[in-house]
Structures are given as C-alpha cells and as structure tokens.
Amino acid sequence: MEVQRLHKDLDLNQAQQDSILNYLVTANKEQQQLRKQSGGDRQAAFEKMRAQREVRTAKIKSYLTSEQVGKYEDLLKKRQENRSQQRKNNL
C-alpha cells in the first residue's frame, strides 16, 4: 500500500500515516466513481483523474514536514522518470 511505502521512504510518524491513509481511502473511492461515470470517454476520465492526482499530491504534502516534502517530490520525480522509461521500452 502507498502509505507503507511513504512511511518507509519518508519516515512518517503515526499521525501522518493515519491522516494519509484516511485521505487515500476517500480519494480512491472518488477515483472509482470517476471511472464509473466516464461512460467510456477515456480522454475525459484521464483529464479528471489527472486533476485528482494533483489534488492528492497537494493533500499528501500538507501532512508532511518541509524536509519530507522535498523527499516526496524527489520520489514523484523518480516515479515519473521510471514510467517514461517503461513507455519507451514498450514501444
């Protein structure tokens, strides 16, 4: 689960873990609703999910210390680079 990975990478305290977990449960339910409501329009669903991802990132950052935010941003950047590399490899 994402919270466990963040705890490992960012050394989250228990309150941070609980807050992020509670938020992610709600955010995941909203994302499932978006998928159901997309009506097969993948592009519209993609745009809505992208916006939701940005909100999720900001919300997670709000639970972190300034030092953890820097590490979190580095993690996000590495994940994006890995995804880009995987896409290139799949072509």
Side-chain angles (χ1 to χ4, degrees):
M1 175 166 255
E2 187 172 359
V3 175
Q4 292 169 339
R5 184 176 35 205
L6 289 175
H7 170 60
K8 177 184 167 201
D9 294 337
L10 304 176
D11 192 30
L12 301 177
N13 63 39
Q14 191 62 51
Q16 290 172 312
Q17 290 177 64
D18 293 343
S19 296
I20 292 171
L21 177 62
N22 289 333
Y23 171 71
L24 289 176
V25 167
T26 302
N28 288 338
K29 287 178 184 177
E30 291 173 4
Q31 190 171 23
Q32 288 174 356
Q33 287 292 71
L34 281 176
R35 285 187 186 126
K36 288 179 184 178
Q37 294 172 354
S38 70
D41 185 352
R42 293 182 63 147
Q43 185 62 33
F46 178 78
E47 292 301 323
K48 288 178 183 177
M49 285 188 221
R50 177 181 291 193
Q52 188 182 48
R53 223 177 5 258
E54 291 172 6
V55 169
R56 183 176 62 223
T57 298
K59 186 69 171 178
I60 289 172
K61 285 180 181 181
S62 75
Y63 297 118
L64 304 176
T65 65
S66 58
E67 181 181 326
Q68 290 170 322
V69 168
K71 290 179 183 179
Y72 182 62
E73 288 173 345
D74 289 342
L75 287 171
L76 293 176
K77 184 177 178 182
K78 287 178 186 175
R79 285 183 192 168
Q80 181 62 35
E81 290 169 356
N82 288 341
R83 279 190 215 114
S84 295
Q85 186 62 40
Q86 288 175 347
R87 287 184 194 124
K88 288 178 185 177
N89 292 340
N90 289 334
L91 293 177

